[in-house]
Amino acid sequence: MEMNKKERLVAAIENGTVIDHIPAEKTFQVVNLLGLQSLSTPVTIGYNFSSSKVGCKGIIKVSDKFFTDDEISRLSVVAPNIILNIIRDYEVVEKKEVITPDELSGIVKCNNPKCITNNEPMSTIFNVVNKSRGILKCHYCDKEQQMDKVELC
Ligand SMILES: [Zn+2]
């Protein structure tokens, strides 16, 4: 009985994507990065579930939506360890991990106040110069910054 209740908490969707192991406090950043507010398909957002992996986690279920690798790579700045379960006909057919891209475009702000991207209406571009240590380098001013401390655009 108890098990059934738990299973219902993360109830299945027929087709779509279940984003799991999101650190709970990052749940809404994931919503923003994937632009889930503007989808017309059903989206279920849950957070503060207990998790052995991340302490307290968020889960997002998106029906009838499959994200591109490019969209998924955007998540590397907020939640590099999350897993996307691809669901078809109620079954998990694939699990995707977030892969840190070589370049981040228009996702994070430069922390150099003098950088042109903070003074002109333009998109930021960062090169990921060290993936394991999470170091980004601004394409315009060359300032390096730590991936887990950046501010999102
Ligand atoms: Zn810059």
Side-chain angles (χ1 to χ4, degrees), residues 110-112 114-118 125-126 138-143 145:
C110 184
N111 65 10
N112 171 8
K114 291 190 174 134
C115 180
I116 188 168
T117 62
N118 286 318
I125 299 174
F126 283 90
C138 178
H139 172 75
Y140 295 101
C141 72
D142 281 346
K143 186 149 189 337
Q145 37 213 320

Side-chain angles (χ1 to χ4, degrees), residues 2 17 19 26 44 55 63-64 73 75 77-78 93 99 118 121 123 150:
E2 190 56 28
T17 306
I19 308 167
K26 305 280 176 76
T44 310
S63 291
D64 301 318
S73 71
L75 301 176
V77 293
V78 298
V93 294
I99 295 167
N118 286 318
S123 218
V150 291

Side-chain angles (χ1 to χ4, degrees), residues 18 84-96:
V18 175
L84 291 92
N85 298 285
I86 313 303
I87 313 288
R88 292 196 193 270
D89 202 14
Y90 297 104
E91 301 275 345
V92 177
V93 294
E94 193 184 349
K95 284 179 181 282
K96 285 193 173 185

Side-chain angles (χ1 to χ4, degrees), residues 11-60:
I13 55 175
E14 188 175 350
N15 291 293
T17 306
V18 175
I19 308 167
D20 200 358
H21 303 298
I22 308 168
E25 72 281 4
K26 305 280 176 76
T27 307
F28 287 95
Q29 291 183 349
V30 171
V31 170
N32 287 333
L33 283 168
L34 293 176
L36 301 182
Q37 311 91 316
S38 53
L39 289 182
S40 52
T41 55
V43 178
T44 310
I45 298 167
Y47 55 100
N48 291 343
F49 295 110
S50 64
S51 155
S52 53
K53 259 191 184 171
V54 290
C56 207
K57 73 174 180 179
I59 298 176
I60 302 173

Side-chain angles (χ1 to χ4, degrees), residues 92-145:
V92 177
V93 294
E94 193 184 349
K95 284 179 181 282
K96 285 193 173 185
E97 291 177 19
V98 174
I99 295 167
T100 304
D102 296 327
E103 188 182 282
L104 294 167
S105 177
I107 298 174
V108 298
K109 286 182 184 168
C110 184
N111 65 10
N112 171 8
K114 291 190 174 134
C115 180
I116 188 168
T117 62
N118 286 318
N119 296 285
E120 298 288 337
M122 61 192 291
S123 218
T124 59
I125 299 174
F126 283 90
N127 297 308
V128 182
V129 292
N130 187 318
K131 288 190 187 185
S132 56
R133 285 168 54 222
I135 313 266
L136 307 176
K137 189 175 185 180
C138 178
H139 172 75
Y140 295 101
C141 72
D142 281 346
K143 186 149 189 337
E144 290 192 354
Q145 37 213 320

